[in-house]
């Protein structure tokens, strides 16, 4: 099963997703481990160090273990689990090529820059005079 950001978003509500995405984007998730469909990571929040474990059984069957109050209260997918899943996606994604690494075709290198050809509606001049009070 392919795990994507949209799939993770569908696992939980907007608030845990937003908080988990923020954790992943800020680099708060460390010690990522993946074994098959089991994901683990560590997240530090102040003095609290959490180690959520997420097991993906099927498209709609995800089992989470986390020591946070949110998980203990609801038993659902918490922000920490979302953070670990998103961080593991980010870690496994291929780097995006930069402009320096992209090879351009020879024809593109020989092209000469041209001035822009901007075509406006014939009604543009009259429309701008009736709506603009610039001269008054």
């Amino acid at each position: 099963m392919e795990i994507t950001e949209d799939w993770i978003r569908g696992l939980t509500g907007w608030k845990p997703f937003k908080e988990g995405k923020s954790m992943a984007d800020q680099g708060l998730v460390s010690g990522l481990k993946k074994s098959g469909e089991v994901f683990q990571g560590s997240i530090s929040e102040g003095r609290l160090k959490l180690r959520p474990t997420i097991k993906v059984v099927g498209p709609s069957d995800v089992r989470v273990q986390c020591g946070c109050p949110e998980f203990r209260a609801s038993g659902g997918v918490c922000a920490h689990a979302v953070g670990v899943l998103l961080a593991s996606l980010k870690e496994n994604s291929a780097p995006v090529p930069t402009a320096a690494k992209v090879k351009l075709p020879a024809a593109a290198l020989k092209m000469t820059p041209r001035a822009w050809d901007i075509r406006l509606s014939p009604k543009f001049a009259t429309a701008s005079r009736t709506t603009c009070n610039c001269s008054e």
Side-chain angles (χ1 to χ4, degrees):
M1 187 182 111
E2 184 182 2
I3 296 175
T4 63
E5 188 171 320
D6 288 336
W7 179 79
I8 297 168
R9 183 178 288 120
L11 291 176
T12 188
W14 67 270
K15 187 176 179 187
F17 181 81
K18 179 181 172 185
E19 291 171 358
K21 184 163 174 51
S22 176
M23 289 177 206
D25 290 345
Q26 292 175 22
L28 298 176
V29 182
S30 62
L32 286 171
K33 294 178 188 175
K34 181 183 179 201
S35 175
E37 296 297 316
V38 178
F39 299 85
Q40 293 178 316
S42 298
I43 300 174
S44 295
E45 285 188 328
R47 295 184 305 161
L48 185 64
K49 183 149 182 141
L50 299 166
R51 292 189 173 99
T53 301
I54 305 97
K55 182 176 183 181
V56 180
V57 179
S60 59
D61 189 3
V62 178
R63 298 178 186 158
V64 176
Q65 287 295 317
C66 186
C68 73
E70 178 187 345
F71 174 75
R72 286 183 285 175
S74 70
V77 179
C78 64
H80 308 102
V82 171
V84 168
L85 287 171
L86 289 173
S88 68
L89 273 183
K90 191 184 291 187
E91 187 177 83
N92 293 333
S93 65
V96 177
T98 61
K101 294 180 184 177
V102 175
K103 270 194 152 181
L104 296 174
L109 296 173
K110 294 178 183 177
M111 291 175 56
T112 56
R114 296 183 188 174
W116 287 21
D117 185 17
I118 300 173
R119 297 177 187 201
L120 302 173
S121 165
K123 297 179 183 177
F124 179 77
T126 30
S128 64
R129 282 191 213 121
T130 57
T131 58
C132 178
N133 296 328
C134 303
S135 60
E136 294 178 9

